Structure formats: C-alpha cells, structure tokens
Amino acid sequence: MTLTQEFDTIAAISTPLGEGAISIVRLSGTEAVKIATSVFKGKDLTQVNSHTINYGHIVEKETLIDEVMVSVMRAPKTFTREDIVEINTHGGIAVTQEILQVLLRNGARLAEPGEFTKRAFLNGRIDLAQAESVMDLIRAKTDKAANIAIKQLDGSLSTLINNIRQEILESLAQVEVNIDYPEYDDVETMTSQMLLEKTAHFQNLLENLLSTAKRGKILREGLKTAIIGRPNVGKSSLLNQLLREEKAIVTDIAGTTRDVITEFANIGGVPLELIDTAGIRDTEDIVEKIGVERSKKALNEADLVLLVLDASSELTDKDLELLELSASSNRIVLLNKTDLPEKIELDKLPADFIRISALKNENLDAVEEKINAIFFAGEIEAKDATVLSNARHVGLVEKALSALTEANEGLAAGLPVDLIQVDVTRCWQILGEITGDAAPDELITQLFSQFCLGK
C-alpha cells in the first residue's frame, strides 16, 4: 500500500436519510475541492486553509439549492488521506439528494458501499482489522461494545497480531540461519528444540486471544434471551421492566401473548435480544398453539433462558415440565410476584433461584448480576483491548492455531525442520489476513461491500 494511489473523486450522503437538523454530503478525491468550488457560492474553496469550515450556498447555474457550511480538509491529514470536502446542509431528503446529484453532474462519482473506508485502507491510513472496527462501532448496541470497537480502531488488536507475526518471522529467520550456517553437528536437534519452544509460545498467545472470543461475540451481537413460563406468570411484565417501556400487552387473561415478541435491551452493558414467548400450555386455540410451538423453538435456540415462575401459587405440571426442559440451558429461574404471599414449593427448585417482582420492579439488579456471573465469570469489563469480537478474526485465529498444532505434531514425530517451517509460515500468512497484509483482493472487496453507503 502506498500514499500515492490515484482514484477518481467519489461522493455520497454520510448521514441517515430522513428529516433532521443537518445532513452531510461527503466528497473524497483529488478533484473534491475543485468540484465543490464549482457549485459553491462563497469563498474560493481552493484558496481556504485546510481543516476550515466555510459559509455559503450551493447553486447550480442560477438556481439556489441550499444555505450550507462546507468543511475543506486537505490530504494527507484526512480519513481517506485524500482531499475531503463535507457539505453540511439542512436535513431533509429532497435537498440532500439534490446536492448529491449536483455533485455527480459536476464530475463526482457515486461512492460504493464502504468506499471511503476502503480508500483509507488502500492508502495506508488503517489496516483491515481497523476498517472492520469502523462498522463494529456503527453497529455497537452498548457502550461496552462501542468501547471495544474504538480500541480496535486505535489499532490495539492489529498491534498484537503484528507483534506475533514479527516474532514468528524472526523465528523462521533463525531457523534458516541455523540450517544454512551450522556450527555444530547436532544443529538439527537444536533447531527442532528451539522451534518447539517458539511454537508453544505462539500457541499460548493465540489461545489467550481466542479465549476472549466468547465475551467479544456477546458484547458485539448480544445474548439471545428467551423469557419462558406458563401463562400469566409475568413474562410480559418482566420484558417491559427490562426494556423500561411498555412493549408487551399485560392483562390477567391467559394467552394474551400469542406470538414471540423480540426486542433489544441493554443490561449492564450487555445487549440482550429479549424474546417474550407465548405462555407454554396445552391449548385448542390454533393461533395460540402456533405461538406455543414458537416458544419451544425459542427455548431450544436461546443463549440464555429466563424461566419465570409464579411464587404466589404452587408449582403446576407445566412448571415442572419447563424446569426439566430448560435444565441443560444457561438458565436463570425467577420467582415472580413476591409482592404476594409465597406458596411455591422451594424444595422442588434449583438453589440459585432469584425472587423478583416485575410489577414493582424489585430485585431486577440481581438478574443483571447473575447474567454477569454466568457469561463473564463476574467480569464484564475487558481489562485490555485485545478482545476478539469479529467472526472472521475468530475463524482466522482458529486456523492459525491449527497450523501451529500441525507443526508441533510434526516436531514430535521427528519430521525435518524444513517441513515444519511450512506449517509455521502458513500460520504467519493466516494471521496476515486479519490485518490485510496477506488478504486477497476478493476478500477485501467483499468485506467493504458490507459497509453502509457514505462510510
């Protein structure tokens, strides 16, 4: 990658379409300032200082389109390392689209999805892992997920991967020196021992990194959480309390919730995909029966199960069935309606149940603490930034570990060192795909195509 790659000038709307105070239309490329100047009535943008914002109007011929503020940023100190112009216009679909069309008619090309970030990558400002973290940051559902993405955008994961790759490269170089310039008769044995120590070290580093993948995936994608129980135990009330808004209809009529309701909630920095299921019971109602079947499917597919029981009544056969069905899941048993006299048989329940009152919003903090304990061993906050949260990165680290395992097995079997080098070199190449140093063009194109337009 170089800083002198020549591209045409692209334009796109960088803010969501719709009504709002401000919309931003962005240009990037060698002709960005020239194109903007041709449609701007105000200061001569070709003469203004870099990183300034300038008042004026966008016009086409004699037609006034909008009153705007135009930011001019000169290369290389920009996101793409190209000249960038950002036109801040009044928010609105019609005026924003019209300004974009004016720029396209005056020489710009409509940007492809993710093309601004792709240019930042191709021009060497960020690597592939950092580019992907841009999208992770946009899609982050909680502050903790955003924090991981920001740290990875700063290059923490890339630095770790690059350091490991550099160590592998130095080890491979040392092996080459030992083989090409042997000083002792037992050079092969010495080289094998040295390489075995090194591969074990690399394996430990990658295993430690891979151990963060579960936490990273949860913080990035959330926990699929099924709220289950028989009718009228308070599932919908619990959903509303966790969401802090009235999303589900709550009545005393059994079977009110007939289908699966899905919403996202931020519980202690962890995104929960909450699934309020239809009360599981035997019913002749065709619609409700379909809802019950979907509830059972949600139970089987959930990462976390919140089993709600009515503490004010004795356990029913359906309660006992649900306790058995959910026993192998990551489950939290909640005794609801503790504001009423307790009648439930505690000796038939697991010892770690939690008493709550969804109606009065009592003791729901204990649910958050329990989720923390189940999935994060009591620690949600990442102690460092090297958390794997991207499925592509996880897959590549697993493949790199597989290559090291094959190298270790070859060393144990007494294979020649030059054959072992092939597996170690493959590990080095696979890790390079994370940062983009060894990524094929097809992969790069596919990754950036998933970005939103204007980013």
Side-chain angles (χ1 to χ4, degrees):
M1 293 177 290
T2 70
L3 305 184
T4 58
Q5 296 197 46
E6 292 292 334
F7 299 111
D8 51 1
T9 298
I10 56 174
I13 300 168
S14 292
T15 46
L17 284 177
E19 293 184 3
I22 294 173
S23 291
I24 298 175
V25 183
R26 176 187 285 174
L27 286 157
S28 181
T30 55
E31 299 293 310
V33 178
K34 179 181 177 182
I35 293 171
T37 301
S38 69
V39 300
F40 180 71
K41 186 176 182 180
K43 291 183 179 179
D44 183 354
L45 298 180
T46 63
Q47 300 301 315
V48 302
N49 292 331
S50 181
H51 293 75
T52 59
I53 189 164
N54 306 274
Y55 170 78
H57 297 81
I58 297 296
V59 296
E60 187 175 32
K61 297 180 181 178
E62 300 302 319
T63 304
L64 176 65
I65 296 174
D66 196 17
E67 181 182 35
V68 297
M69 299 293 290
V70 178
S71 300
V72 176
M73 293 162 278
R74 293 284 191 175
K77 294 184 178 180
T78 68
F79 178 65
T80 60
R81 285 193 172 171
E82 301 172 338
D83 288 349
I84 285 182
V85 174
E86 291 185 348
I87 301 173
N88 294 257
T89 180
H90 290 98
I93 296 174
V95 67
T96 307
Q97 287 282 15
E98 181 58 26
I99 289 176
L100 174 61
Q101 293 303 317
V102 168
L103 296 174
L104 298 180
R105 287 194 290 268
N106 281 270
R109 170 177 64 77
L110 183 64
E112 297 173 358
E115 191 169 0
F116 290 95
T117 308
K118 183 178 182 179
R119 290 190 178 199
F121 165 70
L122 293 174
N123 287 328
R125 185 184 176 277
I126 57 176
D127 63 29
L128 200 55
Q130 290 173 294
E132 289 173 285
S133 70
V134 172
M135 211 61 231
D136 291 344
L137 182 58
I138 292 172
R139 293 172 177 167
K141 297 180 179 69
T142 69
D143 55 345
K144 290 181 174 63
N147 187 48
I148 289 176
I150 289 170
K151 288 179 179 178
Q152 292 188 357
L153 181 57
D154 285 341
S156 60
L157 176 62
S158 301
T159 299
L160 175 64
I161 294 298
N162 287 333
N163 287 343
I164 294 174
R165 294 187 79 228
Q166 183 60 34
E167 284 191 58
I168 293 174
L169 196 61
E170 291 171 358
S171 299
L172 289 170
Q174 185 62 49
V175 169
E176 288 288 345
V177 170
N178 288 357
I179 293 175
D180 293 343
Y181 304 98
E183 298 179 5
Y184 306 97
D185 293 336
D186 58 350
V187 66
E188 181 73 21
T189 302
M190 290 177 59
T191 303
S192 296
Q193 291 174 344
M194 182 271 289
L195 195 55
L196 184 59
E197 292 174 2
K198 290 291 185 180
T199 53
H201 169 63
F202 302 143
Q203 191 167 358
N204 182 60
L205 290 174
L206 294 181
E207 285 175 348
N208 288 339
L209 182 58
L210 197 59
S211 68
T212 69
K214 178 182 177 182
R215 178 175 62 193
K217 182 177 184 293
I218 291 172
L219 292 178
R220 183 174 184 260
E221 300 178 10
L223 286 170
K224 197 169 186 178
T225 305
I227 305 174
I228 66 168
R230 59 182 172 84
N232 267 9
V233 294
K235 299 185 300 299
S236 295
S237 296
L238 175 62
L239 174 73
N240 290 338
Q241 290 291 1
L242 293 175
L243 292 174
R244 295 173 176 81
E245 60 178 309
E246 298 295 322
K247 278 287 186 180
I249 299 172
V250 178
T251 74
D252 292 330
I253 302 172
T256 299
T257 303
R258 292 185 161 214
D259 202 352
V260 170
I261 300 172
T262 301
E263 296 287 344
F264 269 97
N266 180 351
I267 307 298
V270 180
L272 297 191
E273 184 185 355
L274 294 171
I275 306 166
D276 181 21
T277 63
I280 297 177
R281 65 170 181 169
D282 297 324
T283 178
E284 296 302 318
D285 185 297
I286 295 176
V287 176
E288 188 180 353
K289 187 178 292 185
I290 295 172
V292 170
E293 289 304 314
R294 290 182 178 179
S295 297
K296 291 180 179 178
K297 181 181 179 184
L299 167 62
N300 293 329
E301 295 177 351
D303 301 311
L304 172 66
V305 173
L306 301 180
L307 172 56
V308 185
L309 302 173
D310 184 351
S312 67
S313 64
E314 295 180 353
L315 289 169
T316 66
D317 290 342
K318 188 57 65 176
D319 289 327
L320 295 172
E321 180 185 342
L322 289 174
L323 281 165
E324 183 178 351
L325 284 173
S326 62
S328 60
S329 307
N330 287 316
R331 179 187 68 184
I332 302 176
V333 177
L334 303 176
L335 305 192
N336 191 30
K337 303 186 182 181
T338 54
D339 48 304
L340 301 175
E342 188 173 284
K343 296 181 181 179
I344 196 168
E345 304 95 319
L346 299 181
D347 59 323
K348 296 182 180 180
L349 301 176
D352 58 348
F353 62 80
I354 299 175
R355 289 183 172 91
I356 65 167
S357 173
L359 179 65
K360 296 188 175 182
N361 194 21
E362 292 178 352
N363 207 31
L364 294 185
D365 289 346
V367 180
E368 177 182 318
E369 293 170 2
K370 186 67 173 179
I371 293 171
N372 183 6
I374 291 174
F375 292 96
F376 300 97
E379 181 58 63
I380 292 180
E381 291 284 359
K383 297 184 183 300
D384 54 46
T386 53
V387 176
L388 281 182
S389 59
N390 183 294
R392 187 181 76 89
H393 300 166
V394 172
L396 289 171
V397 171
E398 289 175 340
K399 286 173 64 177
L401 269 172
S402 177
L404 287 177
T405 299
E406 291 180 22
N408 288 332
E409 290 174 352
L411 286 168
L415 294 179
V417 172
D418 54 347
L419 292 181
I420 306 301
Q421 279 183 285
V422 173
D423 291 322
V424 179
T425 301
R426 184 158 59 90
C427 172
W428 177 80
Q429 291 172 332
I430 291 169
L431 292 177
E433 290 188 37
I434 294 177
T435 59
D437 289 335
D441 292 342
E442 295 80 5
L443 171 64
I444 293 170
T445 299
Q446 191 272 333
L447 285 175
F448 284 106
S449 70
Q450 300 174 25
F451 280 48
C452 53
L453 194 66
K455 194 63 188 173

Coordinates of all heavy atoms in Angstrom, one line a residue, residues 136-207:
D136 N -18.1 -2.1 13.2 CA -18.5 -2.6 14.5 C -18.9 -1.4 15.4 O -19.9 -1.6 16.2 CB -17.3 -3.3 15.2 CG -17.0 -4.7 14.5 OD1 -17.9 -5.1 13.7 OD2 -15.9 -5.2 14.7
L137 N -18.2 -0.3 15.3 CA -18.6 0.9 16.1 C -20.0 1.4 15.7 O -20.8 1.8 16.6 CB -17.5 2.0 15.9 CG -17.7 3.2 16.7 CD1 -17.7 3.0 18.2 CD2 -16.6 4.2 16.4
I138 N -20.2 1.4 14.4 CA -21.5 1.9 14.0 C -22.7 1.0 14.5 O -23.7 1.5 14.9 CB -21.6 2.0 12.4 CG1 -20.6 3.1 11.9 CG2 -23.0 2.2 11.9 CD1 -20.4 3.1 10.5
R139 N -22.4 -0.3 14.5 CA -23.4 -1.3 14.9 C -23.5 -1.6 16.4 O -24.3 -2.4 16.8 CB -23.2 -2.6 14.1 CG -23.4 -2.4 12.6 CD -23.0 -3.6 11.8 NE -23.3 -3.5 10.4 CZ -22.8 -4.3 9.5 NH1 -22.0 -5.3 9.8 NH2 -23.1 -4.1 8.2
A140 N -22.6 -1.0 17.2 CA -22.5 -1.3 18.6 C -23.8 -1.0 19.3 O -24.4 0.1 19.1 CB -21.3 -0.6 19.2
K141 N -24.3 -1.9 20.1 CA -25.6 -1.8 20.7 C -25.4 -1.3 22.2 O -26.4 -0.9 22.8 CB -26.4 -3.1 20.7 CG -26.7 -3.6 19.3 CD -27.4 -4.9 19.4 CE -27.8 -5.4 18.0 NZ -26.6 -5.8 17.2
T142 N -24.2 -1.3 22.7 CA -24.0 -0.9 24.1 C -22.7 -0.1 24.2 O -21.9 -0.2 23.2 CB -23.9 -2.0 25.1 OG1 -22.7 -2.8 24.9 CG2 -25.1 -3.0 25.0
D143 N -22.5 0.6 25.3 CA -21.2 1.4 25.4 C -20.0 0.4 25.5 O -18.9 0.8 25.0 CB -21.3 2.2 26.7 CG -21.6 1.5 27.9 OD1 -22.1 0.3 27.9 OD2 -21.4 2.0 29.0
K144 N -20.2 -0.8 26.1 CA -19.0 -1.7 26.2 C -18.6 -2.2 24.8 O -17.5 -2.4 24.5 CB -19.3 -2.8 27.1 CG -19.4 -2.3 28.6 CD -19.7 -3.5 29.5 CE -19.6 -3.0 31.0 NZ -20.6 -1.9 31.3
A145 N -19.6 -2.5 24.0 CA -19.3 -3.0 22.6 C -18.7 -1.8 21.8 O -17.7 -2.0 21.0 CB -20.6 -3.4 21.9
A146 N -19.1 -0.6 22.0 CA -18.5 0.5 21.3 C -17.1 0.8 21.8 O -16.2 1.1 21.0 CB -19.4 1.8 21.6
N147 N -16.9 0.5 23.1 CA -15.5 0.7 23.7 C -14.5 -0.3 23.0 O -13.4 0.1 22.7 CB -15.6 0.5 25.2 CG -14.2 0.9 25.9 OD1 -13.7 1.9 25.6 ND2 -13.8 0.0 26.7
I148 N -14.9 -1.5 22.8 CA -14.0 -2.5 22.2 C -13.7 -2.1 20.8 O -12.6 -2.1 20.3 CB -14.7 -3.9 22.2 CG1 -14.7 -4.5 23.6 CG2 -14.0 -4.8 21.3 CD1 -15.4 -5.8 23.7
A149 N -14.8 -1.6 20.1 CA -14.6 -1.2 18.7 C -13.7 0.0 18.6 O -12.8 0.1 17.7 CB -15.9 -0.8 18.0
I150 N -13.8 1.0 19.5 CA -12.9 2.2 19.5 C -11.5 1.8 19.7 O -10.6 2.3 19.0 CB -13.4 3.2 20.5 CG1 -14.7 3.8 20.1 CG2 -12.4 4.3 20.7 CD1 -15.4 4.6 21.2
K151 N -11.3 0.9 20.7 CA -9.9 0.5 20.9 C -9.3 -0.3 19.8 O -8.1 -0.1 19.5 CB -9.9 -0.4 22.2 CG -10.1 0.4 23.5 CD -10.1 -0.4 24.7 CE -10.3 0.4 26.0 NZ -10.4 -0.5 27.2
Q152 N -10.1 -1.1 19.1 CA -9.6 -1.8 17.9 C -9.4 -0.8 16.8 O -8.5 -1.0 16.0 CB -10.5 -2.9 17.5 CG -10.6 -4.0 18.6 CD -11.3 -5.3 18.1 OE1 -11.9 -5.3 17.0 NE2 -11.4 -6.3 19.0
L153 N -10.2 0.2 16.7 CA -10.0 1.2 15.7 C -8.6 1.9 15.9 O -8.0 2.4 15.0 CB -11.1 2.2 15.7 CG -11.1 3.4 14.6 CD1 -10.9 2.8 13.2 CD2 -12.3 4.3 14.8
D154 N -8.3 2.1 17.2 CA -7.0 2.7 17.5 C -5.8 1.8 17.2 O -4.6 2.2 17.3 CB -6.9 3.1 19.0 CG -7.7 4.3 19.3 OD1 -8.0 5.1 18.3 OD2 -8.1 4.6 20.4
G155 N -6.1 0.5 16.9 CA -5.0 -0.4 16.4 C -4.5 -1.4 17.5 O -3.5 -2.0 17.3
S156 N -5.2 -1.6 18.6 CA -4.7 -2.5 19.6 C -4.7 -3.9 19.2 O -3.6 -4.6 19.4 CB -5.6 -2.4 20.9 OG -6.9 -2.7 20.6
L157 N -5.7 -4.4 18.5 CA -5.7 -5.8 18.0 C -4.7 -5.9 16.9 O -3.9 -6.9 16.9 CB -7.1 -6.2 17.5 CG -7.2 -7.6 16.9 CD1 -6.8 -8.7 17.9 CD2 -8.6 -7.8 16.3
S158 N -4.6 -5.0 16.0 CA -3.6 -5.0 14.9 C -2.2 -5.1 15.5 O -1.3 -5.8 15.0 CB -3.8 -3.8 14.0 OG -5.1 -3.7 13.5
T159 N -1.9 -4.3 16.5 CA -0.6 -4.3 17.1 C -0.2 -5.6 17.7 O 0.9 -6.1 17.5 CB -0.5 -3.2 18.2 OG1 -0.8 -1.9 17.7 CG2 0.9 -3.2 18.9
L160 N -1.2 -6.3 18.4 CA -0.9 -7.6 18.9 C -0.6 -8.6 17.8 O 0.3 -9.4 17.9 CB -2.1 -8.0 19.8 CG -2.1 -9.5 20.3 CD1 -0.9 -9.6 21.3 CD2 -3.4 -9.9 21.0
I161 N -1.5 -8.6 16.8 CA -1.3 -9.5 15.7 C 0.0 -9.3 15.0 O 0.8 -10.2 14.6 CB -2.5 -9.4 14.7 CG1 -3.8 -9.9 15.3 CG2 -2.2 -10.2 13.4 CD1 -3.8 -11.3 15.8
N162 N 0.4 -8.0 14.7 CA 1.6 -7.7 14.1 C 2.8 -8.1 14.9 O 3.8 -8.6 14.3 CB 1.7 -6.2 13.8 CG 0.7 -5.8 12.6 OD1 0.4 -6.6 11.7 ND2 0.3 -4.6 12.6
N163 N 2.7 -8.0 16.2 CA 3.8 -8.4 17.1 C 4.0 -9.9 17.0 O 5.2 -10.4 17.0 CB 3.6 -7.9 18.5 CG 3.7 -6.4 18.7 OD1 4.3 -5.7 17.9 ND2 3.2 -5.9 19.8
I164 N 2.9 -10.6 17.0 CA 3.0 -12.1 16.9 C 3.6 -12.5 15.6 O 4.5 -13.4 15.5 CB 1.7 -12.7 17.1 CG1 1.1 -12.5 18.6 CG2 1.7 -14.3 16.9 CD1 -0.3 -13.0 18.8
R165 N 3.2 -11.9 14.5 CA 3.7 -12.2 13.2 C 5.2 -11.9 13.1 O 6.0 -12.6 12.5 CB 2.9 -11.4 12.1 CG 1.5 -11.8 12.0 CD 0.9 -11.1 10.8 NE 1.2 -11.8 9.5 CZ 1.7 -11.2 8.4 NH1 1.9 -9.9 8.4 NH2 2.0 -11.9 7.3
Q166 N 5.6 -10.8 13.8 CA 7.0 -10.4 13.7 C 7.9 -11.4 14.5 O 8.9 -11.8 14.0 CB 7.2 -9.0 14.4 CG 8.7 -8.5 14.3 CD 9.2 -8.4 12.9 OE1 8.5 -8.1 12.0 NE2 10.5 -8.6 12.7
E167 N 7.4 -11.9 15.6 CA 8.1 -13.0 16.4 C 8.2 -14.2 15.5 O 9.2 -14.9 15.6 CB 7.3 -13.2 17.7 CG 7.5 -12.2 18.8 CD 7.0 -12.7 20.1 OE1 7.5 -13.7 20.6 OE2 6.1 -12.0 20.7
I168 N 7.1 -14.6 14.9 CA 7.1 -15.8 14.0 C 8.1 -15.6 12.9 O 8.9 -16.5 12.6 CB 5.7 -16.1 13.4 CG1 4.7 -16.5 14.5 CG2 5.8 -17.2 12.4 CD1 3.3 -16.6 14.1
L169 N 8.2 -14.5 12.3 CA 9.1 -14.2 11.2 C 10.6 -14.3 11.7 O 11.4 -14.9 11.0 CB 8.8 -12.8 10.6 CG 9.4 -12.5 9.3 CD1 8.9 -13.5 8.2 CD2 9.1 -11.0 8.9
E170 N 10.8 -13.7 12.9 CA 12.2 -13.8 13.4 C 12.6 -15.2 13.7 O 13.8 -15.6 13.5 CB 12.3 -12.9 14.7 CG 12.2 -11.4 14.4 CD 12.0 -10.6 15.7 OE1 12.0 -11.2 16.8 OE2 11.9 -9.4 15.6
S171 N 11.6 -16.0 14.2 CA 11.9 -17.4 14.5 C 12.2 -18.2 13.2 O 13.2 -19.0 13.2 CB 10.8 -18.1 15.2 OG 10.5 -17.4 16.5
L172 N 11.4 -17.9 12.2 CA 11.7 -18.6 10.9 C 13.1 -18.2 10.3 O 13.8 -19.0 9.8 CB 10.6 -18.2 9.9 CG 9.2 -18.8 10.2 CD1 8.2 -18.2 9.3 CD2 9.2 -20.3 10.0
A173 N 13.4 -16.9 10.5 CA 14.7 -16.5 10.1 C 15.8 -17.2 10.8 O 16.9 -17.5 10.2 CB 14.8 -14.9 10.2
Q174 N 15.7 -17.3 12.1 CA 16.7 -18.0 12.9 C 16.8 -19.5 12.5 O 18.0 -20.0 12.5 CB 16.3 -17.9 14.4 CG 17.3 -18.5 15.4 CD 18.6 -17.8 15.3 OE1 18.7 -16.5 15.4 NE2 19.8 -18.5 15.2
V175 N 15.7 -20.1 12.2 CA 15.8 -21.5 11.7 C 16.6 -21.5 10.4 O 17.5 -22.4 10.2 CB 14.4 -22.1 11.5 CG1 14.4 -23.4 10.7 CG2 13.7 -22.2 12.8
E176 N 16.4 -20.6 9.5 CA 17.1 -20.6 8.2 C 18.6 -20.4 8.5 O 19.4 -21.0 7.8 CB 16.6 -19.4 7.4 CG 15.2 -19.7 6.8 CD 15.2 -20.7 5.7 OE1 16.3 -21.0 5.2 OE2 14.1 -21.2 5.3
V177 N 18.9 -19.5 9.4 CA 20.4 -19.3 9.7 C 21.0 -20.5 10.3 O 22.1 -20.9 9.9 CB 20.5 -18.1 10.7 CG1 21.9 -18.0 11.3 CG2 20.1 -16.8 10.1
N178 N 20.3 -21.2 11.2 CA 20.8 -22.4 11.8 C 21.1 -23.5 10.7 O 22.0 -24.3 10.8 CB 19.9 -23.0 12.9 CG 19.9 -22.1 14.1 OD1 20.7 -21.1 14.2 ND2 19.1 -22.4 15.1
I179 N 20.1 -23.6 9.8 CA 20.3 -24.6 8.8 C 21.3 -24.3 7.7 O 22.1 -25.1 7.3 CB 18.9 -24.9 8.1 CG1 17.9 -25.5 9.1 CG2 19.0 -25.8 6.9 CD1 16.5 -25.6 8.5
D180 N 21.4 -23.0 7.3 CA 22.3 -22.6 6.3 C 23.7 -22.4 6.8 O 24.7 -22.6 6.0 CB 21.8 -21.3 5.7 CG 20.5 -21.4 4.9 OD1 20.2 -22.6 4.6 OD2 19.8 -20.4 4.6
Y181 N 23.9 -22.1 8.1 CA 25.2 -21.9 8.6 C 25.4 -22.7 9.9 O 25.5 -22.2 11.0 CB 25.5 -20.4 8.9 CG 25.2 -19.5 7.7 CD1 24.1 -18.9 7.5 CD2 26.3 -19.4 6.7 CE1 23.8 -18.1 6.4 CE2 26.1 -18.6 5.6 CZ 24.9 -18.0 5.4 OH 24.7 -17.2 4.3
P182 N 25.4 -24.0 9.8 CA 25.5 -24.9 11.0 C 26.9 -24.8 11.6 O 27.9 -24.8 10.9 CB 25.2 -26.3 10.5 CG 25.6 -26.2 9.0 CD 25.3 -24.8 8.6
E183 N 27.0 -24.6 13.0 CA 28.2 -24.6 13.7 C 28.5 -25.9 14.5 O 29.6 -26.1 15.0 CB 28.3 -23.4 14.6 CG 28.1 -22.1 13.9 CD 28.1 -20.9 14.9 OE1 28.3 -21.2 16.1 OE2 28.0 -19.7 14.5
Y184 N 27.4 -26.7 14.6 CA 27.5 -27.9 15.4 C 26.9 -29.1 14.6 O 26.1 -28.9 13.7 CB 26.8 -27.8 16.7 CG 27.2 -26.5 17.5 CD1 26.5 -25.4 17.5 CD2 28.4 -26.6 18.3 CE1 26.9 -24.3 18.2 CE2 28.8 -25.5 19.0 CZ 28.1 -24.3 19.0 OH 28.5 -23.2 19.7
D185 N 27.4 -30.3 15.0 CA 26.8 -31.4 14.3 C 25.4 -31.7 14.6 O 24.7 -32.3 13.8 CB 27.7 -32.7 14.7 CG 29.1 -32.6 14.2 OD1 29.3 -31.9 13.2 OD2 30.0 -33.2 14.7
D186 N 25.0 -31.3 15.8 CA 23.6 -31.6 16.2 C 22.7 -30.4 16.0 O 21.7 -30.1 16.7 CB 23.5 -31.9 17.7 CG 24.1 -30.9 18.6 OD1 24.7 -29.9 18.1 OD2 23.9 -31.0 19.8
V187 N 23.0 -29.6 14.9 CA 22.2 -28.4 14.6 C 20.7 -28.7 14.4 O 19.8 -27.9 14.8 CB 22.8 -27.6 13.4 CG1 22.6 -28.5 12.1 CG2 22.1 -26.3 13.2
E188 N 20.4 -29.9 13.8 CA 19.0 -30.2 13.5 C 18.2 -30.4 14.8 O 17.1 -29.9 15.0 CB 18.9 -31.5 12.7 CG 17.5 -32.0 12.4 CD 16.9 -31.2 11.3 OE1 17.6 -30.5 10.6 OE2 15.6 -31.2 11.2
T189 N 18.9 -31.0 15.8 CA 18.2 -31.2 17.1 C 18.0 -29.9 17.8 O 16.9 -29.6 18.4 CB 19.1 -32.2 18.0 OG1 19.2 -33.4 17.3 CG2 18.4 -32.4 19.4
M190 N 19.1 -29.1 17.8 CA 19.0 -27.8 18.5 C 17.9 -26.9 17.8 O 17.1 -26.3 18.5 CB 20.3 -27.0 18.4 CG 21.4 -27.6 19.2 SD 22.9 -26.7 19.0 CE 22.5 -25.1 19.5
T191 N 17.8 -26.9 16.5 CA 16.8 -26.1 15.8 C 15.4 -26.6 16.1 O 14.5 -25.9 16.3 CB 17.1 -26.2 14.3 OG1 18.4 -25.7 14.0 CG2 16.1 -25.3 13.5
S192 N 15.2 -28.0 16.2 CA 13.9 -28.5 16.5 C 13.4 -28.1 17.9 O 12.3 -27.8 18.1 CB 13.9 -30.0 16.4 OG 14.2 -30.4 15.1
Q193 N 14.4 -28.2 18.9 CA 14.0 -27.8 20.2 C 13.7 -26.3 20.3 O 12.7 -25.9 21.0 CB 15.2 -28.1 21.2 CG 15.5 -29.5 21.3 CD 16.7 -29.8 22.1 OE1 17.6 -28.9 22.3 NE2 16.9 -31.0 22.6
M194 N 14.4 -25.5 19.6 CA 14.2 -24.0 19.6 C 12.8 -23.8 19.0 O 12.0 -23.0 19.5 CB 15.3 -23.3 18.8 CG 15.1 -21.8 18.8 SD 14.1 -21.2 17.4 CE 15.2 -21.5 16.1
L195 N 12.5 -24.4 17.9 CA 11.3 -24.2 17.2 C 10.1 -24.7 18.0 O 9.0 -24.0 18.0 CB 11.3 -24.9 15.8 CG 10.2 -24.5 14.8 CD1 10.2 -23.0 14.6 CD2 10.4 -25.2 13.5
L196 N 10.3 -25.8 18.7 CA 9.2 -26.3 19.6 C 8.9 -25.3 20.7 O 7.7 -25.1 21.0 CB 9.6 -27.7 20.2 CG 8.6 -28.4 21.0 CD1 7.3 -28.7 20.2 CD2 9.1 -29.7 21.6
E197 N 9.9 -24.7 21.3 CA 9.6 -23.7 22.3 C 8.9 -22.5 21.7 O 8.0 -22.0 22.4 CB 11.0 -23.3 22.9 CG 11.7 -24.3 23.7 CD 13.1 -23.9 24.2 OE1 13.4 -22.7 23.9 OE2 13.8 -24.7 24.8
K198 N 9.3 -22.1 20.6 CA 8.7 -20.9 19.9 C 7.2 -21.2 19.6 O 6.3 -20.4 19.8 CB 9.4 -20.5 18.7 CG 10.8 -19.9 19.0 CD 10.7 -18.6 19.7 CE 12.0 -17.9 19.8 NZ 11.9 -16.6 20.5
T199 N 6.9 -22.4 19.0 CA 5.6 -22.7 18.6 C 4.7 -22.8 19.8 O 3.5 -22.4 19.7 CB 5.5 -24.0 17.7 OG1 6.2 -25.0 18.4 CG2 6.2 -23.8 16.4
A200 N 5.2 -23.3 20.9 CA 4.4 -23.4 22.1 C 4.1 -22.0 22.6 O 3.0 -21.8 23.1 CB 5.2 -24.2 23.2
H201 N 5.0 -21.1 22.5 CA 4.8 -19.7 22.9 C 3.8 -19.0 22.0 O 2.8 -18.4 22.5 CB 6.1 -19.0 22.8 CG 6.0 -17.5 23.0 ND1 5.5 -16.9 24.1 CD2 6.3 -16.4 22.1 CE1 5.5 -15.6 24.0 NE2 5.9 -15.3 22.7
F202 N 3.8 -19.2 20.7 CA 2.9 -18.7 19.8 C 1.5 -19.2 20.1 O 0.5 -18.5 20.0 CB 3.3 -18.9 18.4 CG 4.6 -18.3 18.0 CD1 5.5 -19.0 17.1 CD2 5.1 -17.1 18.6 CE1 6.7 -18.5 16.8 CE2 6.3 -16.6 18.2 CZ 7.1 -17.3 17.3
Q203 N 1.5 -20.5 20.3 CA 0.2 -21.2 20.6 C -0.5 -20.6 21.8 O -1.7 -20.4 21.8 CB 0.4 -22.7 20.7 CG -0.9 -23.5 20.7 CD -0.6 -25.0 20.6 OE1 0.6 -25.4 20.4 NE2 -1.6 -25.8 20.6
N204 N 0.3 -20.4 22.8 CA -0.2 -19.8 24.1 C -0.8 -18.4 23.8 O -1.9 -18.1 24.3 CB 0.9 -19.7 25.1 CG 0.4 -19.2 26.5 OD1 -0.5 -19.8 27.1 ND2 1.0 -18.1 26.9
L205 N -0.1 -17.6 23.0 CA -0.6 -16.3 22.7 C -1.9 -16.3 22.0 O -2.8 -15.5 22.3 CB 0.5 -15.5 21.9 CG 1.8 -15.1 22.6 CD1 2.7 -14.5 21.5 CD2 1.5 -14.1 23.7
L206 N -2.0 -17.2 21.0 CA -3.2 -17.2 20.2 C -4.4 -17.8 21.0 O -5.5 -17.4 20.9 CB -3.0 -18.0 18.9 CG -2.0 -17.4 17.9 CD1 -1.9 -18.2 16.7 CD2 -2.5 -16.0 17.6
E207 N -4.1 -18.8 21.9 CA -5.1 -19.4 22.7 C -5.7 -18.4 23.7 O -6.9 -18.3 24.0 CB -4.6 -20.6 23.5 CG -4.4 -21.8 22.6 CD -3.8 -23.0 23.3 OE1 -3.3 -22.8 24.4 OE2 -3.8 -24.1 22.7

